[in-house]
Amino acid sequence: MIQGMRPLVHPSIEDITVEGILHALSDPVRVAIYAELAASAGATICSNFLQVSDRSIPKSTLSQHFRALREAGLVRSERHGVEMRNVTRCKEIERRFPGLIAAILNAHSVQATGRAGDTRRKPAPRKTKAA
Amino acid sequence: MIQGMRPLVHPSIEDITVEGILHALSDPVRVAIYAELAASAGATICSNFLQVSDRSIPKSTLSQHFRALREAGLVRSERHGVEMRNVTRCKEIERRFPGLIAAILNAHSVQATGRAGDTRRKPAPRKTKAA
DNA sequence: TTCCATAGTTCGTATGTTACGAAGTACTGA
DNA sequence: TCAGTACTTCGTAACATACGAACTATGGAA
């Protein structure tokens, strides 16, 4: 037993910086993770992202990515038993930096799909499709 | 005389990535420079930024910062005699990633002033006039 | 022309940051 | 107690960045 696990660090809303947010989301893996978190209703566990857009992410790397998102103030993480539940802090950030997260997520989707953007939440892709 | 100067690299609009933009603007010096460029009407030369928000920037570092902005697609640079004139590529980027630049600049100004934001262009922060 | 000043670039290197395997912690259930 | 799951931490190699020294490129005297 060399050293235990350090406690989870969550900056308070006024300590969140634009630079911190931009840096955290300037990584393709992190922005993809964040986009999925933002699109999902409830909490999401880390291991859901061991595969991100056809790319396999090592566990230790994934852990660091979540730490980066957490310490930039983008997500809130809570240990529940053996797993870690993550939710975005979109609403708080929206109050401090209006439009920022929406614009970034929209730009990310424009780039991913190659088509013009749409800021609305996607409820559930292809569930109501005819046939 | 080891090697001449390489030509200026400007990505075409479809090669500009969100990650690239976010990374370029995740540096406090670069986002400050970019905010000033975006607020000013005409072209602005590099050496206007040897001082950025009470901080003195070495020439070589400043040159690298402008290269980063240029290669992320954020600014267009042109040599005119001995100086380099820079303009933002806001309008192009606005077409590809609507609202992105405005939201970042707004967030930057919220953070700088400590007050709620305003997306409109600032009239003219009269600093060092091109002497 | 030659010389000098100005404006910016490149290079070398020291310092920082990031990725990921190996080994560890923490919890749960058998 | 043991094993399995889900993550975290550590060590280190690879990559990125900052900045001084030396350079290029241009323009304007003399």
Side-chain angles (χ1 to χ4, degrees):
Chain A
M1 197 195 291
I2 296 165
Q3 203 208 67
M5 280 170 170
R6 4 179 147 137
L8 301 178
V9 174
H10 291 100
S12 64
I13 186 69
E14 64 271 15
D15 291 337
I16 295 177
T17 64
V18 204
E19 290 88 348
I21 290 176
L22 300 191
H23 178 253
L25 297 181
S26 72
D27 180 280
V29 172
R30 284 194 298 258
V31 74
I33 289 173
Y34 189 75
E36 274 216 40
L37 281 183
S40 74
T44 308
I45 68 171
C46 297
S47 59
N48 281 10
F49 299 98
L50 286 168
Q51 284 281 131
V52 170
S53 32
D54 295 329
R55 195 158 113 56
S56 175
I57 312 294
K59 260 183 343 157
S60 61
T61 304
L62 189 62
S63 179
Q64 294 311 309
H65 282 319
F66 269 96
R67 182 148 94 107
L69 290 171
R70 188 164 54 242
E71 296 188 353
L74 284 162
V75 310
R76 195 173 289 281
S77 313
E78 244 177 82
R79 245 181 269 279
H80 274 261
V82 78
E83 60 192 30
M84 186 86 132
R85 297 194 192 150
N86 301 281
V87 288
T88 68
R89 296 177 67 182
C90 289
K91 279 168 200 157
E92 285 172 84
I93 297 172
E94 173 65 17
R95 251 172 269 133
R96 182 156 155 78
F97 301 126
L100 181 61
I101 297 300
I104 293 173
L105 291 180
N106 180 56
H108 179 253
S109 113
V110 166
Q111 184 174 283
T113 65
R115 284 177 303 92
D118 173 357
T119 308
R120 294 164 302 179
R121 289 293 168 284
K122 283 180 281 185
R126 98 239 122 112
K127 196 102 185 186
T128 14
K129 205 212 160 192
Chain B
M1 198 195 300
I2 295 165
Q3 202 210 69
M5 281 171 172
R6 6 183 144 133
L8 301 178
V9 174
H10 292 100
S12 64
I13 186 69
E14 66 270 16
D15 290 337
I16 295 176
T17 65
V18 202
E19 290 88 346
I21 289 175
L22 299 190
H23 179 252
L25 297 181
S26 71
D27 180 278
V29 172
R30 283 194 298 258
V31 74
I33 290 173
Y34 189 75
E36 275 216 40
L37 280 182
S40 75
T44 309
I45 68 171
C46 297
S47 57
N48 281 10
F49 299 98
L50 285 168
Q51 284 281 132
V52 170
S53 31
D54 295 329
R55 196 158 113 55
S56 175
I57 312 293
K59 254 182 350 154
S60 61
T61 303
L62 189 62
S63 179
Q64 294 311 310
H65 281 319
F66 270 96
R67 181 149 93 107
L69 290 171
R70 188 161 56 239
E71 297 190 352
L74 284 162
V75 311
R76 195 173 288 283
S77 313
E78 244 176 82
R79 245 181 269 279
H80 274 262
V82 79
E83 61 192 30
M84 186 86 132
R85 297 193 192 154
N86 300 281
V87 289
T88 68
R89 295 176 67 182
C90 289
K91 279 169 200 156
E92 284 172 86
I93 297 173
E94 173 65 17
R95 252 172 268 133
R96 181 157 155 76
F97 301 126
L100 182 61
I101 296 302
I104 293 173
L105 291 179
N106 179 57
H108 179 254
S109 114
V110 166
Q111 184 174 283
T113 65
R115 283 176 303 92
D118 173 358
T119 309
R120 294 164 302 180
R121 290 293 169 283
K122 282 182 281 186
R126 64 213 126 270
K127 263 199 111 176
T128 332
K129 247 187 182 161

